[in-house]
Amino acid sequence: MSPTRFASEHKWIYWGAIVLLLGLLVTGLIRYGSFKRTAETSEKAERLSEELVTAGYPAPDQETAERLLGTDGGQVCESPGNALKKALYQLQQLSNGATGPGSRPVIADSKAVEVERIVLQVYCPDQVDEFDEAVEDLRTDDTVKR
């Protein structure tokens, strides 16, 4: 069987792949363009920037904060104290940076959880107590030189 004959007999595979890719492209463009800026997203992102600067952190990009957090805080406010997030926070983000068996938890800086608390205060103040309960048993100290 020659390569040209094989390709001509299975054109439906190529056409199917093209249609699928175009469909994914159109879906991606529609979803990418579906973000709508509102006065509420701008107001909350601006308030977050002010709170972070007041606490001594750099202000995030306004547009990025609006897109990531929207009006409801997005993933940050979705059950901030649940077990999976707590485990990931303790095992991955508060570790020495090694991989595999060399990975060890460390005593985190006391400001490490402060930023998330600030985001929760701005976007979902009703979740702050749950977050505080989830992180109250973390060992923190002033471990970063400022």
Side-chain angles (χ1 to χ4, degrees):
M1 181 179 289
S2 71
T4 55
R5 183 172 164 225
F6 180 77
S8 65
E9 288 178 358
H10 298 288
K11 284 185 181 179
W12 62 272
I13 294 174
Y14 299 116
W15 285 109
I18 290 170
V19 168
L20 181 67
L21 289 174
L22 286 175
L24 289 172
L25 177 71
V26 169
T27 303
L29 289 174
I30 290 171
R31 292 199 58 164
Y32 181 76
S34 67
F35 171 73
K36 294 185 178 95
R37 275 198 179 127
T38 63
E40 187 178 4
T41 59
S42 297
E43 177 185 315
K44 285 190 174 186
E46 188 174 316
R47 183 170 162 226
L48 176 64
S49 293
E50 291 170 3
E51 295 282 336
L52 289 172
V53 168
T54 302
Y57 297 103
D61 179 53
Q62 189 83 10
E63 184 179 338
T64 303
E66 288 180 34
R67 292 184 70 83
L68 287 175
L69 301 170
T71 59
D72 62 353
Q75 287 287 74
V76 177
C77 290
E78 191 175 301
S79 187
N82 72 12
L84 177 61
K85 285 187 181 181
K86 185 175 177 183
L88 288 173
Y89 191 71
Q90 289 176 338
L91 296 177
Q92 290 180 350
Q93 295 172 345
L94 300 178
S95 68
N96 62 359
T99 60
S103 179
R104 302 286 186 266
V106 296
I107 296 174
D109 189 63
S110 55
K111 290 194 160 209
V113 295
E114 189 176 342
V115 172
E116 186 169 355
R117 184 178 291 115
I118 291 171
V119 173
L120 291 173
Q121 288 171 342
V122 171
Y123 284 92
C124 48
D126 57 321
Q127 300 281 340
V128 174
D129 292 334
E130 181 184 345
F131 176 74
D132 287 340
E133 289 174 11
V135 298
E136 73 182 13
D137 59 338
L138 286 178
R139 289 184 58 194
T140 59
D141 201 358
D142 294 330
T143 57
V144 176
K145 288 187 178 186
R146 291 178 179 74

